[in-house]
């Protein structure tokens, strides 16, 4: 069984209230030296069988339509173990 | 990177400017040049273009909206303390209290990005109510969608509903009513209208003006980012030496937590009596807030754009002026109170910066990096925009439509058929149970919701001791309005009025959100003018004024406009909420008699 | 008799909790998240809302507020503490109560009138209810699904620390759990909102009042 | 400026309603052969300056106390570019 990971982040120019709140909490808790925090989503998709090129292309299509909202989000996709 | 300064504009009168891309007509651009007696700088062009847009200037609707002034301005409950032209209408409801309420649209943004569009729609109307000096106490959301089974409705509807809920629930504002209506013309043009009600004591009333030379201009709330400035980037790109600016998002993302802090912080500032004037930042952002505050005040204001805290350091001055970043407010404060103001903001973790001051120049003057980039009479930006007398004409198909009466439809002739018809009716999306929507909204928070779904009106307790309260309903049947916009608008008003009256409250005032197709279509303009005529006549007959509202044009796909949709909100006052009349029949009512009133 | 109600940035039902305390006959004292002093209150309510926007995890950031340091210490000494909804989440994040609350299994915010069975009427906050008393109070949340590992769940049940169970599971909570208590019975976390159910005018019932009258008796008795 | 990434996932024994919903949507859209989907959070933390060992240890502490709830979640942390 192979695993495909899709990381979805808000585009850099889009306000990220969640990241902002975490950044604020870092500061209050005394974790200094943090310039920015962005919070996104991580999907771990376990396939039945191999991560063939075709299957990965399918998942990529799903990422485009389902996992990420292209209006405000970007995503990256990788097969686990591949990097 | 060069900045287009006022002196640069004076010395280079023939520079080509992208006024057309910004939506200005040739004569409008010429008018700006006449006003300034030179070409505008790119910052000035940005300001004029957005403030003279349909959305901000009401240029197509102004001549019609004026007719609301023909309605007597007294309400059956009490005096109107602020009316059309202010951020929201305010009426005296007795016992020293005043209420403010208004409905606004956020239609197109909700089509592009349903969750955020709807969320920021709620955020915007709540800030309008807050800016009057009131504590927001309830929201409502009249919604319109394409057919329930259309694929795009599956994208748009859940997003909009969770956006309305996600934002309103996070602010702790009970949702006390709304509408969910389906029609094919709303496919591609969903309507998201959001209404907010606020309560204040008379002495808390605040207006949006900048008076008192030397008073300080404070911008507080969220930092300014590139939100919602897709369009102006044509301007900014000219000031970037190579490659143009980085991407600018056309959608705004809401931060309801920030807005909640903004509400509590602002109410504490009001209570401390250190706010001379205040304005929320909504559409057109700083362009709107600075020019409107100055124009409604003594007329002069100086702003240093370098003082505006930025989320994105690459923003050009034009973009800073146009940014529609959410959750920001602007206040006018005497120099002596600035420290106290900043202290209260710090308590609530709200960023606040002095960015300018009220001057006696009669001009709105804005600097960037030490150079003047805006130098204009603020009235010409905020209040003296173009006014159009658009042609209107009763559509040729109107007669046929009206002639095609319901009496031609086949009638059920047997009990069985009648039963089928009834079942079909109550199972139809427009009539069925709406709890899939309303269960996603908090109707209990604040503990003053006397009536909420499934009632015909929402009702909020204003005073716990006396029981004074208000009821609000919103209604509109767009199919009636299409058959006859004049009568349709009257019917919307009458329905909303009845819904309020049946709770036991006395209807007192009207707000409206006029959702229509393109004003450049004479048929649509006719629908619009007829609807206003209907509202005016209806209000005069009922004896209640229109205290504010909103117009949304260009809701159409190709040549097909939406059903004319004049959503009417009526607010009523009830002396004692314990005497409200809920709908429905309960066990305790057994033995009561039923009466049918009216013809 | 003073009941303190903490306001965190983003608290929403603090006003309601203060009203409920007053309706029950207590003096309601507002407490501020940034102030470690409890101002002599006899019991504390952590109210509902979306503190810090619920952005990281519900309750995760609030637990670090200065007021929580004092509350955690005093709770160990027996101070009655009730966490409602977001307050329950704060109590779990603070490890005053076991388990955690995650997103509802249907992933939507839900607001409804919810049936509950009070299974433990020996806590500081539930003594005014009969054992197995069935009540209807308001449920409204986004992250209301109570989860914990099997061993923790078994221990909670074994020690009778399940305070309330849903009649009809509205959010995917493990074993229908709506509220739990600590070993001592002074700290209670509850997902639904008793503070919205103290007046028939504005709530579906007055079934929530018992939480507030119970604690008055608990304080007097101690 | 260095970037530290913290990936937070629900423990395998905790039901993941969001992952389940995505899994269901995959099936409805005709993407077959997916055995499981889990949804977690990804934090991208930009440091002012280098990702020294000491700084990374601090972020790890923040992850333990703030970013992940050890009762229900596990996390992994890596410095970007390091793998
Ligand atoms: N979008 C909405 N937001 C909040 N409440 C709504 C919404 N849509 C409908 N409701 C409420 O649900 C109830 C039932 O709605 P509806 O079936 O349209 O009733 P009616 O036809 O009597 O107006 C009413 O109380 C109404 O205010």
């Amino acid at each position: 069984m192979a695993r495909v990971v899709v990381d979805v982040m808000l585009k850099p120019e889009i306000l990220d209230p969640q990241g902002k709140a975490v950044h604020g909490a870092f500061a209050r808790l005394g974790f200094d030296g943090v310039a920015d925090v962005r919070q996104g989503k991580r999907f771990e998709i376990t396939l039945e069988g191999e991560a063939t090129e075709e299957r990965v292309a399918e998942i990529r299509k799903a990422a485009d339509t389902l996992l990420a909202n292209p209006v405000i989000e970007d995503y990256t996709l990788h097969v686990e173990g591949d990097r | 990177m060069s900045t287009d300064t006022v002196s640069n504009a004076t010395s280079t009168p023939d520079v080509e400017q992208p006024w057309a891309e910004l939506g200005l007509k040739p004569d409008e651009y010429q008018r700006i040049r006449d006003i300034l007696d030179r070409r505008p700088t790119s910052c000035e062009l940005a300001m004029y273009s957005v403030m003279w847009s349909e959305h901000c200037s009401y240029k197509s609707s102004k001549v019609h909206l004026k007719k609301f002034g023909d309605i007597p301005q007294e309400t059956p409950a009490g005096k109107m303390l602020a009316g059309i032209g202010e951020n929201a209408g305010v009426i005296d409801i007795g016992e020293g209290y005043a209420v403010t309420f208004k409905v606004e649209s956020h239609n197109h943004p909700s089509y592009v990005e349903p969750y955020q569009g709807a969320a920021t729609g709620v955020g915007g109307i709540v800030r309008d109510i807050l800016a009057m000096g009131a504590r927001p106490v309830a929201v409502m959301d009249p919604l319109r969608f394409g057919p329930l089974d259309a694929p795009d409705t599956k994208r748009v509807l859940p997003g909009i509903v969770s956006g309305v809920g996600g934002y309103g629930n996070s602010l702790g504002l009970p949702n006390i009513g709304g509408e969910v209506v389906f029609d094919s013309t709303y496919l591609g043009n969903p309507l998201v209208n959001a209404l907010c009600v606020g309560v204040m004591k008379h002495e808390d009333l605040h207006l949006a003006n900048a008076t008192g030379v030397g008073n300080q201009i404070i911008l507080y709330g969220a930092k300014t980012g590139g939100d919602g400035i897709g369009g102006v980037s044509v301007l900014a790109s000219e000031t970037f030496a190579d490659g143009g600016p980085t991407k600018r998002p056309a959608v705004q993302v809401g931060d309801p937590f920030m807005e909640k802090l903004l509400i509590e912080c602002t109410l504490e500032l009001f209570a401390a009596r250190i706010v001379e004037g205040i304005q929320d930042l909504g559409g057109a952002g700083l362009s709107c807030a600075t020019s409107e505050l100055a124009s409604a005040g003594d007329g002069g204001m100086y702003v240093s754009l370098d003082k505006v805290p930025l989320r994105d350091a690459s923003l050009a001055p034009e973009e800073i002026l146009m940014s529609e970043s959410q959750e920001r407010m602007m206040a006018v404060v005497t120099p002596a109170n600035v420290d106290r103001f900043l202290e209260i903001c710090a308590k609530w973790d709200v960023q606040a910066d002095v960015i300018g001051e009220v001057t006696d120049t009669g001009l709105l003057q804005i600097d960037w990096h030490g150079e003047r980039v805006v130098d204009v009479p603020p009235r010409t930006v905020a209040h003296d925009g173009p006014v159009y007398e658009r042609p209107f004409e009763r559509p040729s198909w109107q007669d046929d439509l009206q002639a095609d009466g319901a009496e031609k439809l086949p009638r059920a002739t047997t009990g069985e058929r009648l039963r089928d018809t009834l079942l079909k009716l109550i199972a139809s999306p427009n009539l069925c149970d709406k709890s899939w929507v309303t269960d996603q909204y908090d109707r209990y928070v604040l503990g003053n919701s006397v009536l909420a779904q499934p009632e015909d009106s929402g009702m909020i307790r204003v005073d716990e001791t006396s029981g004074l309260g208000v009821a609000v309903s919103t209604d509109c049947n767009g199919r009636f309005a299409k058959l006859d916009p004049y009568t349709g608008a009257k019917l919307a008003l009458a329905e909303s009025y009845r819904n309020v009256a049946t709770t036991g409250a006395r209807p007192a005032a009207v707000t409206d959100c006029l959702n229509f197709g393109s004003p450049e279509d004479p048929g649509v303009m006719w629908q619009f003018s007829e609807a206003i005529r209907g509202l005016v006549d209806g209000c005069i007959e009922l004896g209640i004024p229109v205290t504010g509202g909103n117009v949304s044009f260009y809701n159409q796909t190709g040549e097909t406009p939406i059903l004319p949709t004049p959503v009417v909100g009526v607010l009523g006052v009830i002396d004692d909420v314990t005497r409200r009349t809920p709908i429905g029949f309960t066990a305790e009512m057994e033995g009561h008699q039923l009466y049918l009133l009216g013809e | 008799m003073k009941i303190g109600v903490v306001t965190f940035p983003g608290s929403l039902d603090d006003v309601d909790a203060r009203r409920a305390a007053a309706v029950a006959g207590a003096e309601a004292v507002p407490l501020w998240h940034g102030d470690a002093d409890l101002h002599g209150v006899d019991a504390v309510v952590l109210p509902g809302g979306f503190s810090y926007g619920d952005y990281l995890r519900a309750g995760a950031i609030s637990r670090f507020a200065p007021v929580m340091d004092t509350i955690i210490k005093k709770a160990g000494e027996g101070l009655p503490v009730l966490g409602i909804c977001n307050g329950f989440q704060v109590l779990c994040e603070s490890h005053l109560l076991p388990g955690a609350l995650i997103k509802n299994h249907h992933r939507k915010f839900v607001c409804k009138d919810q049936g509950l069975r009070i299974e433990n009427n020996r806590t500081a906050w539930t003594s005014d209810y009969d054992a197995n008393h069935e009540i209807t109070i308001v449920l409204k949340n986004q992250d209301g699904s109570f989860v914990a590992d099997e061993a923790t769940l078994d221990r909670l049940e074994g020690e009778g620390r399940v305070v309330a169970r849903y009649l009809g599971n509205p959010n995917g909570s493990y074993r229908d759990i709506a509220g739990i208590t600590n070993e001592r019975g002074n700290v209670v976390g509850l997902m639904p909102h008793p503070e919205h159910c103290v007046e028939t005018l504005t709530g579906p019932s007055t079934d929530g009042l018992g939480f507030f009258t119970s604690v008055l008796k608990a304080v007097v008795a101690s």
Side-chain angles (χ1 to χ4, degrees), chain A, chain B, chain C:
Chain A
M1 294 215 294
R3 179 175 285 170
V4 180
V5 176
V6 180
D7 289 318
V8 179
M9 302 297 292
L10 283 168
K11 296 186 183 194
E13 67 271 19
I14 297 280
L15 173 73
D16 173 10
Q18 313 202 67
K20 212 176 90 194
V22 173
H23 193 184
F26 269 142
R28 273 195 306 283
L29 295 178
F31 296 110
D32 297 330
V34 173
D36 192 26
V37 181
R38 305 282 290 176
Q39 178 175 336
K41 293 178 202 149
R42 176 186 173 88
F43 296 92
E44 296 185 352
I45 301 157
T46 310
L47 299 180
E48 287 165 355
E50 293 302 288
T52 59
E53 232 169 84
E54 198 186 329
R55 306 290 295 286
V56 173
E58 282 230 308
I59 302 290
R60 194 176 293 281
K61 215 170 108 201
D64 281 327
T65 50
L66 181 70
L67 302 181
N69 174 354
V71 179
I72 52 174
E73 293 169 329
D74 293 325
Y75 72 91
T76 60
L77 179 153
H78 70 273
V79 179
E80 205 155 78
D82 265 13
R83 70 170 184 201
Chain B
M1 198 160 103
S2 73
T3 308
D4 188 21
T5 62
V6 170
S7 58
N8 185 37
T10 313
S11 61
T12 57
D14 300 325
V15 165
E16 282 284 327
Q17 294 192 283
W19 48 268
E21 286 95 316
L22 293 170
L24 287 166
K25 297 277 177 322
D27 55 323
E28 291 173 343
Y29 177 63
Q30 187 53 46
R31 193 150 149 232
I32 298 169
R33 296 190 68 124
D34 293 346
I35 289 169
L36 299 177
D37 204 15
R38 60 173 163 81
R39 77 163 173 87
T41 66
S42 62
C43 282
E44 289 165 343
L45 186 62
M47 291 184 82
Y48 279 106
S49 69
V50 64
M51 290 299 291
W52 286 12
S53 69
E54 185 65 59
H55 180 65
C56 292
S57 72
Y58 288 85
K59 55 188 169 191
S60 303
S61 52
K62 234 179 202 164
V63 292
H64 300 280
L65 293 175
K66 262 210 206 106
K67 299 186 189 129
F68 286 140
D70 297 346
I71 308 166
Q73 300 292 293
E74 278 286 309
T75 89
K79 269 218 276 304
M80 210 201 291
L81 304 175
I84 292 176
E86 299 297 340
N87 279 318
V90 180
I91 62 171
D92 178 3
I93 61 162
E95 298 179 28
Y97 287 104
V99 290
T100 171
F101 80 129
K102 189 179 175 192
V103 58
E104 225 170 50
S105 64
H106 219 219
N107 300 339
H108 187 63
S110 304
Y111 172 67
V112 176
E113 171 34 42
Y115 183 96
Q116 296 295 346
T120 52
V122 173
I125 189 65
V126 167
R127 282 194 303 282
D128 265 337
I129 294 303
L130 177 64
M132 297 309 298
R135 173 176 279 282
V137 295
V139 293
M140 300 176 87
D141 62 327
L143 307 176
R144 304 286 186 282
F145 301 101
L148 184 57
D149 52 8
D152 200 46
T153 303
K154 294 195 176 69
R155 170 185 75 94
V156 167
L157 185 144
I160 285 175
V161 169
S162 61
V164 169
Y167 207 97
N169 295 340
S170 303
L171 295 184
L173 294 177
N175 186 307
I176 59 167
E179 298 166 75
V180 183
V181 178
F182 301 90
D183 184 89
S184 60
T185 61
Y186 302 121
L187 187 63
N189 305 284
L191 302 187
V192 174
N193 293 178
L195 182 149
C196 182
V197 192
V199 172
M200 70 189 109
K201 288 287 195 173
H202 287 187
E203 60 271 23
D204 292 328
L205 178 64
H206 279 75
L207 296 178
N209 56 40
T211 57
V213 172
N215 281 347
Q216 304 289 291
I217 307 297
I218 299 182
L219 179 66
Y220 67 109
K223 287 186 184 172
T224 298
D227 312 57
I229 53 175
V232 239
S233 295
V234 293
L235 272 174
S237 62
E238 303 195 328
T239 68
F240 283 85
D242 51 351
T246 52
K247 277 223 189 102
R248 301 297 189 225
V251 293
Q252 310 135 28
V253 170
D255 180 354
F257 170 57
M258 182 71 233
E259 179 121 327
K260 170 67 178 167
L261 298 183
L262 205 55
I263 293 172
E264 298 304 329
C265 173
T266 302
L267 290 170
E268 194 166 327
L269 293 167
F270 289 147
R273 310 236 160 266
I274 55 177
V275 178
E276 307 302 314
I278 187 161
Q279 169 81 294
D280 62 298
L281 275 75
L286 278 170
S287 294
C288 179
T290 52
S291 63
E292 287 193 352
L293 276 171
S295 171
D298 298 346
M301 184 187 289
Y302 167 78
V303 167
S304 167
L305 271 192
D306 304 278
K307 302 265 176 63
V308 174
L310 301 181
R311 200 174 81 225
D312 173 355
S314 76
L315 291 183
E318 295 85 352
E319 296 179 310
I320 299 172
L321 282 168
M322 308 275 290
S323 162
E324 299 193 340
S325 284
Q326 300 291 296
E327 293 98 21
R328 297 179 298 163
M329 304 278 283
M330 183 175 276
V332 183
V333 181
T334 66
N337 287 329
V338 167
D339 286 346
R340 180 81 190 109
F341 191 103
L342 299 181
E343 227 173 78
I344 291 174
C345 289
K347 171 185 166 187
W348 288 101
D349 254 332
V350 169
Q351 172 145 9
D353 298 270
V354 175
I355 64 162
E357 65 179 32
V358 180
T359 63
D360 58 6
T361 57
L363 295 167
L364 173 60
Q365 299 174 311
I366 299 179
D367 285 1
W368 171 250
H369 292 357
E371 295 189 279
R372 183 117 321 162
V373 290
V374 172
D375 195 356
V376 298
R379 229 197 127 70
T380 62
V381 180
H383 290 109
D384 296 340
V387 175
Y388 289 162
E389 300 256 6
R390 298 238 188 234
F392 56 89
E393 190 182 4
R394 189 170 194 269
S396 52
W397 44 259
Q398 197 77 34
D399 284 336
D400 287 345
L401 185 70
Q402 290 183 354
D404 188 12
E407 58 281 356
K408 291 188 194 149
L409 293 172
R411 296 277 143 158
T413 44
T414 65
E416 183 125 344
R417 281 274 185 75
L418 208 51
R419 180 175 177 277
D420 287 348
T421 309
L422 181 68
L423 286 178
K424 207 165 150 192
L425 266 179
I426 57 182
S428 71
N430 282 332
L431 295 179
C432 72
D433 180 21
K434 306 298 191 317
S435 48
W436 187 88
V437 173
T438 55
D439 281 358
Q440 296 185 53
Y441 301 156
D442 184 349
R443 60 182 179 273
Y444 288 112
V445 62
L446 295 179
N448 288 315
S449 306
V450 176
L451 299 176
Q453 67 79 31
E455 302 289 341
D456 290 334
S457 290
M459 183 180 287
I460 291 289
R461 176 172 62 186
V462 169
D463 189 287
E464 282 185 44
T465 316
S466 70
L468 180 68
V470 294
V472 189
S473 172
T474 72
D475 291 284
C476 177
N477 185 328
R479 295 169 68 111
F480 284 159
K482 179 160 188 191
L483 273 175
D484 179 348
Y486 173 84
T487 312
K490 270 185 152 181
L491 283 170
L493 172 66
E495 182 179 359
S496 198
Y497 187 97
R498 276 197 311 274
N499 280 335
V500 165
T502 49
T503 65
R506 173 171 215 185
V510 171
T511 182
D512 62 276
C513 193
L514 305 174
N515 306 275
F516 286 80
S518 167
E520 292 161 40
D521 174 341
V524 169
M525 246 356 249
W526 175 80
Q527 293 174 329
F528 181 75
S529 71
E530 283 295 286
I532 291 201
R533 209 164 60 78
L535 278 180
V536 170
D537 286 355
C539 283
I540 291 175
E541 284 166 45
L542 294 171
I544 54 175
V546 175
T547 62
N550 176 250
V551 177
S552 171
F553 278 133
Y554 297 103
N555 297 291
Q556 66 178 48
T557 306
E559 295 295 295
T560 312
I562 58 164
L563 293 177
T565 314
V567 170
V568 178
V570 170
L571 179 139
V573 180
I574 180 166
D575 295 338
D576 181 1
V577 291
T578 63
R579 304 194 52 209
R580 86 277 181 213
T581 330
I583 57 165
F585 305 96
T586 59
E588 301 116 64
M589 293 184 190
E590 203 179 320
H592 287 201
Q593 311 228 312
L594 276 178
Y595 291 89
L596 179 64
L597 303 184
E599 285 164 32
Chain C
M1 171 75 213
K2 295 180 183 170
I3 299 183
V5 178
V6 179
T7 298
F8 297 101
S11 289
L12 305 176
D13 303 307
D14 44 349
V15 192
D16 309 64
R18 294 205 298 268
R19 184 190 292 109
V23 170
E27 180 189 341
V29 179
L31 300 175
W32 182 242
H33 72 106
D35 179 1
D37 191 339
L38 296 188
H39 300 274
V41 299
D42 304 294
V44 168
V45 176
L46 304 181
F50 290 84
S51 61
Y52 291 99
D54 270 7
Y55 284 151
L56 173 59
R57 282 183 315 281
I61 299 181
S62 296
R63 96 167 229 230
F64 293 104
V67 76
M68 284 310 298
D69 293 341
T70 318
I71 289 174
I72 290 169
K73 190 166 138 273
K74 292 275 174 92
E77 298 165 7
L79 178 78
V81 179
L82 173 65
I84 303 169
C85 193
N86 196 226
F88 187 9
Q89 293 155 346
V90 174
L91 290 176
C92 289
E93 286 283 342
S94 310
H95 309 304
L96 282 173
L97 292 174
L101 292 137
I102 65 167
K103 201 162 287 306
N104 295 337
H105 69 329
H106 48 72
R107 292 167 303 122
K108 294 197 295 279
F109 185 94
V110 60
C111 174
K112 61 184 288 226
D113 305 338
Q114 172 70 40
L116 292 185
R117 187 169 54 243
I118 303 289
E119 296 200 349
N120 175 342
N121 66 347
R122 301 173 308 280
T123 77
W125 297 91
T126 52
S127 61
D128 265 356
Y129 294 97
D130 300 332
N132 293 325
H133 198 145
E134 293 190 356
I135 63 175
T136 298
I137 63 178
V138 171
L139 176 84
K140 42 164 225 184
N141 58 64
Q142 174 94 44
D143 299 275
S145 180
F146 180 78
V147 298
D149 58 41
E150 288 296 312
T152 305
L153 292 168
D154 288 343
R155 201 178 73 238
L156 284 172
E157 307 232 38
E159 295 172 1
R161 286 166 53 194
V162 174
V163 172
R165 236 184 271 262
Y166 295 115
L167 304 173
N169 193 327
N171 52 22
S173 284
Y174 287 8
R175 303 194 193 178
D176 301 338
I177 290 175
I180 57 173
T181 185
N182 61 350
E183 285 92 343
R184 195 167 171 165
N186 62 313
V187 177
V188 169
L190 186 72
M191 209 55 215
H193 291 260
E195 81 282 18
H196 289 322
C197 304
V198 298
E199 295 181 278
T200 46
L201 186 66
T202 54
S205 72
T206 55
D207 288 353
L209 197 56
F211 282 85
F212 300 90
T213 53
S214 296
V215 76
L216 296 189
K217 291 181 188 156
V219 169
V220 171
S222 70

